[in-house]
């Protein structure tokens, strides 16, 4: 499985009345990002967590040249301009992450419907031990219905040095099954006791390109 070297996550506010139009423009913008350096894009809106109603745009890159290509494209993007000017989309966060190895074979058919993002700081565990325990629990996520699983550490933006775990699911019942199974898993218990989780949110996925 290919591990993305870099991941960019952008969050933006958007008035409720403009959200559907903004999401339609996000689809056009995602295509432009793919044409200018992103190897995959996932986008949608937050339904639970710290910023309910916010728009979320996740891009995966093989290298920073791809990220640079997207950044250079944005000022010329008509879709991005329409999001800002016609739909009052206002980005308030953009973090760039360095990808970390997770042994998990992704499944994108059918298209996942939900993305759960969990942010944590290292506590008693070092990075190597944290990743080792997370990899041990990957099979539990997979068996319970998770479709993709990615991990990155913040390089730029807010919350420098923290880690973000992103897991996608086909439905809410798969999320419930996963956390029911993890509740009795000793590796997961050791993992959670060794990190400080300070954010968990669910995004309803509108598209993956």
């Amino acid at each position: 499985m290919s591990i993305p070297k870099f991941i960019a996550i952008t969050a933006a506010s958007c008035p409720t009345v403009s959200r559907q139009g903004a999401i339609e423009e996000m689809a056009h913008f995602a295509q432009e990002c793919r044409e200018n350096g992103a190897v995959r894009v996932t986008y949608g809106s937050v339904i639970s967590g710290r910023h309910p109603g916010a728009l979320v745009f996740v891009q995966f890159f093989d290298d920073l040249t791809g990220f640079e290509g997207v950044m250079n494209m944005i000022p010329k993007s008509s879709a991005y301009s329409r999001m800002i000017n016609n739909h009052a989309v206002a980005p308030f966060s953009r973090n760039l992450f360095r990808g970390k190895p997770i042994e998990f074979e992704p499944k994108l058919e059918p298209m996942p419907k939900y993305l759960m993002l969990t942010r944590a700081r290292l506590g008693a565990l070092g990075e190597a031990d944290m990743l080792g325990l997370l990899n041990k629990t990957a099979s539990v996520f997979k068996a319970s219905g998770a479709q993709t699983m990615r991990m990155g550490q913040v390089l730029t933006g807010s919350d420098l040095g923290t880690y973000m775990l992103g897991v996608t699911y086909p439905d809410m019942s798969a999320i419930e099954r996963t956390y029911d199974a993890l509740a009795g898993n000793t590796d997961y218990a050791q993992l959670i006791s060794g990190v400080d989780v300070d954010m968990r949110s669910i995004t309803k996925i509108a598209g993956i390109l």
Side-chain angles (χ1 to χ4, degrees):
M1 178 189 66
S2 175
I3 299 170
K5 290 184 179 179
F6 299 96
I7 305 163
I9 301 179
T10 302
S13 61
C14 179
T16 302
V17 295
S18 300
R19 188 170 297 125
Q20 186 55 43
I23 288 175
E24 291 173 4
E25 293 296 351
M26 288 172 78
H28 299 303
F29 181 58
Q31 181 62 48
E32 292 178 331
C33 291
R34 286 296 308 273
E35 293 169 356
N36 285 274
V39 297
R40 185 169 297 282
V41 179
T42 299
Y43 58 94
S45 57
V46 177
I47 60 174
S48 75
R50 186 167 296 175
H51 301 289
L55 301 180
V56 173
F57 199 80
V58 184
Q59 301 176 73
F60 300 93
F61 301 96
D62 286 334
D63 50 47
L64 286 178
T65 300
F67 178 73
E68 181 181 26
V70 169
M71 293 299 102
N72 289 338
M73 174 272 295
I74 286 178
K76 299 176 286 187
S77 167
S78 56
Y80 188 85
S81 177
R82 289 191 297 270
M83 282 191 289
I84 301 298
N85 298 318
N86 298 354
H87 301 293
V89 172
F92 60 81
S93 174
R94 177 178 289 129
N95 287 98
L96 183 64
F97 300 79
R98 181 182 293 278
K100 298 294 180 178
I102 300 295
E103 298 172 7
F104 193 100
E105 189 63 33
K107 177 185 177 183
L108 293 175
E109 294 183 3
M111 188 184 85
K113 292 183 179 179
Y114 298 99
L115 165 64
M116 178 170 282
L117 294 173
T118 303
R119 186 176 64 212
R121 299 178 184 275
L122 295 178
L125 292 173
E127 181 183 285
D129 290 333
M130 180 269 290
L131 291 174
L133 289 167
L134 186 59
N135 273 292
K136 287 182 179 180
T137 66
S139 60
V140 179
F141 282 86
K142 186 76 169 181
S144 301
Q147 292 182 262
T148 65
M149 188 173 181
R150 303 290 195 188
M151 164 68 80
Q153 184 181 24
V154 178
L155 287 180
T156 66
S158 58
D159 303 294
L160 285 175
T162 60
Y163 294 79
M164 187 80 83
L165 175 67
V167 184
T168 62
Y169 298 90
D171 49 47
M172 287 287 187
S173 62
I175 298 176
E176 182 178 5
R177 286 195 305 272
T178 299
Y179 282 88
D180 284 347
L182 290 172
N185 184 278
T186 55
D187 291 320
Y188 184 74
Q190 186 177 351
L191 172 64
I192 289 300
S193 66
V195 299
D196 178 20
V197 175
D198 67 355
M199 189 280 291
R200 182 174 282 132
S201 70
I202 299 176
T203 293
K204 183 172 176 51
I205 297 171
I208 297 177
L209 190 64

